[in-house]
Amino acid sequence: MSEDREISVTGIANLDRYWRYVCAGGVLGTYYFSVCVLGAPYTKYMTELGAKPFDFGLLAALGSFALVFQMVAAVWSNHMPRRKRVWMVICIVHRLLFFLVLAAPVLFRSERPRLWWIITVLLVHNILMQFSVPLWMSWMADIIPKDSLNRYWGNRQRIISAYSILTQLGSALLFWYFERNDEIILGFTVLSVTAIIAGVIDILLFYPIPEPPEELHSTIGFMATLKEPLNNNEYRPFLIFRGFFTFAMMFMGPFCYPYMIEELGFSAVKVQLIFLTYAVASLYSSRLCGLLCDIYGFKPVLQMVVVGKCVIPLVYVFLPNIPVFAEAVFTVALLLDGLFQGAWLMIIQGVAMKCTPRKNRAMYIAATNFLAIGLAGGIAPLISGIIIDPISSVFTVDFGPYRWNGYHVIFFAALLLRFSALPLVKRWPEPGSVSVRTVLSYLRSGNPFRASIEIDKLRLAKDANRRARAARRLGRMQSPLAIHELVRSLKDPSRRVRHNAAEALGKIGSAQACEALGRALYDRDSLVQARAARALGDIGGFDSLRALLENLRRLDHSRLGDTISALAKIGDPAAILPLIGLFNDVTDENLRRRIIAALSELCPEDSIEEIAARLLPDRWARRRSQ
């Protein structure tokens, strides 16, 4: 089997059905993590139990260091022909383990033993979670078509974000009831129990999904696995960038919630509601980012992400401590940051599945995650967690509404680190990617978010009428983002879709579509042929001229009328001699008249009568004599 060959399950129709299970599981799993591991209620629960910046930094560091177990799982997976059942057992145990975190207030009365118990349980919890990741990602990568991988992930991420907004809103309001009654521990326990149940159901939803057999490579050891992505000259620049940028993000990431709750005095429900804008932004950006990555490559999108992710640390550093103003600014800043975070997650998942070889993919992904997240992402919060309180004890500046302390030092350092990652991504030699300037020029052409919605309809809609309407709307938008999907739609089973796709490509007017439109001149439907010829005439330029001239003598004479008119519209004199040659080869009078009319447009100094006299001297002489 070829190393780069992707295995789909049993056809795209079945994959779409199974993918719904994957998306539903993702919704439930995200609810589990947003409540038990990442959300503001979790932060409030930990601070209620006495957690300090050091504890949050240590938890984040240990969570990252646990990624070494992705390597262990990857090595082990090379001895497993099947991954699904092992993955399901590990994940169910991992979710149920969180009950021990909820038991901490009952088991321990002293603050530090209680916190060390939680830290230990969460370390085991994270080890099991990381152990499952390469098994799951390699399984999913084997069933998704490579040419539309990013859009499948974008669709999943969009669905997860939509439902995550609702579940986070509901959990925030429920927790607010307990928070205002000063029942933090009870409130978090109630929320977590529902989240654990949802998390277990998430895993059970994967049971019906088939699993292609894994290619076994039992001779590859731990150190060889670790070195493999480092030895890949094309992949290594991305790996170095990812490690550095992860360090930059994790330098401040685990301390955003504690800062807003402890320093700014925000309630947990207020923080949770503010961060909902983050999820809303991801909902809108995932579809577009998946489309951009599929068409233009990861690199230009990644460069925009680096610049965009510098906004949030800038806000944390310079935002004055005025509650109402701070809430509004944080909401807008997190909305923007969520757009770029959605793109970042798409790129991470896409590169892991698209730019890694299928052979030994689980190990490749594990080694990448360990080096980029486990080491870099583990060291960063450990450093920050250790230094925040000591810096605050010697550096606290009050200046009007501003109050700077150790938190602000790490926020400013994170800003500098993030911006410093830009030269690293530029060194990544991704073949086929375009420049940031090109992508931005396409994004400025119409509404990119609206265009991405119609593109998804054109690609995924089962009803031909919906696909045809989407193609027509894309033509009205004239968005270059739609070219790739419209070109693919020139082979759609529905003639109406092909017709509208050809017409839309002509309205967009990009030479990228000329080759495909040239092939569409041979479509079995004459109306599609006519639209393709007119589209080439609307686009114009050398590529259109070549496509039309190449097909001038290959098409049936009865179908040449629109091709001739399109050549006249382009107005290039290079078409004169081929048209004269065609005139001498055909006998159809209507076609000859169209050729004469076209030549008159290509030779503006001559009238139709003069051209006709040259091409038909005998007939013209008889006409003059009459």
Side-chain angles (χ1 to χ4, degrees), residues 16-26 202 205-206 208-209:
D16 287 343
R17 178 164 59 88
Y18 292 130
W19 196 247
R20 287 192 283 271
Y21 291 116
V22 177
C23 293
D202 159 29
L205 285 174
F206 283 83
I209 302 175

Side-chain angles (χ1 to χ4, degrees), residues 477-492:
M477 292 179 190
Q478 299 183 346
S479 173
L481 297 176
I483 293 173
H484 181 269
E485 199 59 41
L486 287 169
V487 164
R488 191 192 63 81
S489 296
L490 291 174
K491 298 179 181 179
D492 194 277

Side-chain angles (χ1 to χ4, degrees), residues 152-411:
Y152 269 98
W153 279 109
N155 181 55
R156 178 178 182 269
Q157 187 171 315
R158 186 171 64 254
I159 293 171
I160 289 174
S161 298
Y163 284 97
S164 176
I165 293 168
L166 299 176
T167 55
Q168 287 184 52
L169 180 60
S171 62
L173 294 176
L174 179 60
F175 189 74
W176 175 66
Y177 168 79
F178 292 99
E179 188 178 19
R180 69 178 182 175
N181 293 308
D182 200 25
E183 296 177 334
I184 305 299
I185 294 175
L186 176 60
F188 183 71
T189 302
V190 171
L191 275 179
S192 296
V193 169
T194 63
I196 292 169
I197 294 171
V200 172
I201 295 174
D202 159 29
I203 306 305
L204 296 177
L205 285 174
F206 283 83
Y207 184 77
I209 302 175
E211 176 198 7
E214 176 77 312
E215 293 185 13
L216 303 182
H217 308 282
S218 57
T219 58
I220 301 178
F222 185 89
M223 292 307 298
T225 300
L226 189 62
K227 293 178 182 178
E228 189 169 345
L230 289 170
N231 292 333
N232 187 326
N233 293 331
E234 294 182 356
Y235 189 76
R236 185 170 59 245
F238 174 78
L239 178 58
I240 293 171
F241 159 77
R242 185 182 173 190
F244 184 86
F245 196 61
T246 300
F247 182 92
M249 290 198 295
M250 290 298 290
F251 201 78
M252 67 169 282
F255 307 99
C256 294
Y257 278 175
Y259 171 76
M260 296 174 74
I261 292 173
E262 294 296 303
E263 296 293 317
L264 298 182
F266 288 0
S267 66
V269 65
K270 186 175 292 185
V271 173
Q272 190 85 341
L273 292 176
I274 290 174
F275 270 85
L276 277 180
T277 59
Y278 194 79
V280 171
S282 296
L283 172 65
Y284 282 98
S285 68
S286 57
R287 178 193 282 114
L288 177 60
C289 293
L291 176 67
L292 293 176
C293 291
D294 274 338
I295 299 175
Y296 305 119
F298 296 107
K299 185 175 179 178
V301 183
L302 198 53
Q303 289 174 274
M304 292 188 287
V305 166
V306 171
V307 176
K309 292 292 285 183
C310 291
V311 172
I312 198 69
L314 194 67
V315 169
Y316 272 94
V317 171
F318 294 106
L319 186 67
N321 192 359
I322 304 174
V324 176
F325 180 72
E327 291 169 20
V329 173
F330 268 128
T331 300
V332 175
L334 286 168
L335 184 68
L336 181 62
D337 193 60
L339 291 174
F340 292 106
Q341 182 66 16
W344 170 249
L345 294 176
M346 283 295 308
I347 291 169
I348 293 303
Q349 292 171 339
V351 172
M353 295 187 177
K354 201 171 186 177
C355 300
T356 57
R358 181 174 189 271
K359 177 183 177 181
N360 204 31
R361 175 176 282 132
M363 301 179 76
Y364 218 93
I365 292 171
T368 297
N369 288 342
F370 173 67
L371 292 169
I373 304 175
L375 292 181
I379 294 172
L382 189 61
I383 295 172
S384 301
I386 291 173
I387 66 176
I388 287 177
D389 281 340
I391 291 177
S392 297
S393 64
V394 297
F395 173 78
T396 300
V397 178
D398 289 300
F399 181 73
Y402 293 95
R403 185 176 187 272
W404 290 299
N405 55 23
Y407 278 106
H408 295 86
V409 172
I410 66 164
F411 294 154

